[in-house]
């Protein structure tokens, strides 16, 4: 497949000697317009890659904060189609920041794989994380997505052993998402020493950039991960700010303020200074 925005972003960051700040927000939370304002503001707040959650009623990998965000989004009428429209609106003002759609297979299956890939590419989505589709089902979506020019990003976890890892990495592209804890999003904080051991083990089997997420809430935590991995993913802490907002504008400002604080931690780590 051709080089994607994700590929170009990690190449540029490697040249800069720093890790990526990967942000996650739920599409349509608290509503379409406020969600769009958050997405548009994230690059200025320091986000290098934006993951956009696709709301779903049975989000098995997500903790309470992201589950509630999904329910708020669905209650507001958000759908896969309107999620793609959100990305299209974002692309009118930003053609450089990579966007990854993260969610579950059911809505994509209901939409129709071929139609989804066509519309996702047209909207400006660069990669997919589909939590409940294992490598054994690559023909369902992974291989068609790669053929359409979209990166297919896999999750590896603390329970992904050396025997399983090659299967997880098969057909993976863009980056590998290492889930730093054995649990749902936001359930616990990762232990940096454990993450370092896992990332170093995985690096022996792939040249893909490795981003680490689940449980990162502060700039200090993210900076620790930025010393170890090629990217640090923050989701739950940002999503919680939406729920704390007194109104739409306050929710937008809260998310972007926290993103700025966390990005300072990540961007302050120079990879060539860590050794």
């Amino acid at each position: 497949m051709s080089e994607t925005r994700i590929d170009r972003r990690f190449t540029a960051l490697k040249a800069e000697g720093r890790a990526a700040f990967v942000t996650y927000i739920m599409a349509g939370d608290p509503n379409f317009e406020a969600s769009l304002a958050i997405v548009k503001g994230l690059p200025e707040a320091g986000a290098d890659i934006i993951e956009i959650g696709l709301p779903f009623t049975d989000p098995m990998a997500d903790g309470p904060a992201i589950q509630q965000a999904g329910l708020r989004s669905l209650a507001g009428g958000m759908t896969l189609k309107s999620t793609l429209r959100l990305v299209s609106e974002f692309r009118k003002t930003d053609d450089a920041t990579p966007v990854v759609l993260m969610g579950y297979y059911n809505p994509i299956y209901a939409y129709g794989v071929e139609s989804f890939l066509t519309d996702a590419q047209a909207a400006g989505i660069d990669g997919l994380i589909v939590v409940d589709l294992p490598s054994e089902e690559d023909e369902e979506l992974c291989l068609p997505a790669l053929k359409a020019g979209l990166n297919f990003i896999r999750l590896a976890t603390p329970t992904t052993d050396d025997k399983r890892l090659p299967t997880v990495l098969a057909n993976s592209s863009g980056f590998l998402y290492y889930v730093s804890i054995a649990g749902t999003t936001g359930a616990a904080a990762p232990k940096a020493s454990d993450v370092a051991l896992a990332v170093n083990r995985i690096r022996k089997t792939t040249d893909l950039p490795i981003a680490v997420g689940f449980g990162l809430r502060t700039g200090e935590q993210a900076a620790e991960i930025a010393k170890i991995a090629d990217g640090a993913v923050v989701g739950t802490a940002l999503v919680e700010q939406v729920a704390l907002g007194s109104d739409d504008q306050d929710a937008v400002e809260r998310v972007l303020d926290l993103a700025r604080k966390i990005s300072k931690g990540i961007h302050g780590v120079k990879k060539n200074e860590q050794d």
Side-chain angles (χ1 to χ4, degrees):
M1 63 184 294
S2 302
E3 186 179 60
T4 66
R5 288 188 187 90
I6 297 172
D7 300 328
R8 289 193 290 274
R9 182 55 56 97
F10 273 110
T11 298
L13 291 174
K14 186 175 182 179
E16 291 178 30
R18 67 173 179 86
F21 176 27
V22 184
T23 59
Y24 171 98
I25 60 103
M26 177 63 70
D29 180 34
N31 54 57
F32 185 94
E33 295 302 329
S35 180
L36 180 59
I38 291 170
V39 176
K40 285 185 172 180
L42 283 172
E44 178 276 333
D48 297 298
I49 296 173
I50 299 172
E51 290 179 6
I52 296 181
L54 177 62
F56 183 51
T57 53
D58 186 21
M60 63 184 182
D62 295 314
I66 293 180
Q67 287 183 28
Q68 290 301 316
L71 293 176
R72 289 193 296 270
S73 175
L74 291 168
M78 203 69 182
T79 63
L80 175 51
K81 188 173 184 178
S82 50
T83 299
L84 297 179
R85 184 162 63 87
L86 182 82
V87 178
S88 294
E89 292 294 322
F90 170 70
R91 281 284 173 242
K92 291 180 180 177
T93 56
D94 190 319
D95 192 44
T97 305
V99 172
V100 175
L101 187 67
M102 182 171 183
Y104 301 84
Y105 186 47
N106 187 289
I108 296 171
Y109 178 79
Y111 194 97
V113 168
E114 186 175 348
S115 297
F116 165 72
L117 292 174
T118 299
D119 292 351
Q121 189 179 47
I125 289 173
D126 304 294
L128 304 174
I129 301 174
V130 183
V131 176
D132 53 350
L133 262 186
S135 301
E136 287 78 4
E137 306 298 333
D138 273 359
E139 291 185 0
E140 282 279 338
L141 180 63
C142 174
L143 296 181
L146 295 175
K147 188 176 180 181
L150 296 172
N151 288 128
F152 205 84
I153 298 148
R154 294 276 189 212
L155 301 177
T157 74
T159 59
T160 305
D161 59 20
D162 289 341
K163 184 178 180 181
R164 177 66 180 169
L165 190 57
T167 304
V168 171
L169 290 169
N171 298 318
S172 294
S173 66
F175 62 93
L176 181 72
Y177 188 141
Y178 179 69
V179 176
S180 60
I181 57 170
T184 57
T185 53
K191 188 176 179 181
S193 57
D194 291 343
V195 172
L197 286 173
V199 169
N200 290 335
R201 176 174 65 87
I202 294 170
R203 283 199 195 284
K204 294 176 182 176
T205 60
T206 183
D207 293 327
L208 283 175
I210 301 171
V212 175
F214 281 44
L216 304 182
R217 290 178 170 276
T218 68
E220 290 76 13
Q221 289 175 328
E224 283 297 308
I225 296 302
K227 296 175 184 174
I228 299 165
D230 303 297
V233 187
V234 178
T236 295
L238 297 174
V239 167
E240 286 175 343
Q241 299 308 307
V242 176
L244 292 171
S246 58
D247 55 31
D248 292 355
Q249 184 60 35
D250 188 45
V252 173
E253 291 175 0
R254 279 176 171 273
V255 173
L256 298 181
D257 283 348
L258 181 58
R260 291 187 190 94
K261 292 173 184 174
I262 294 174
S263 70
K264 285 182 181 178
I266 296 173
H267 294 177
V269 175
K270 294 301 181 184
K271 306 290 278 187
N272 58 1
E273 294 176 355
Q274 63 168 309
D275 297 328

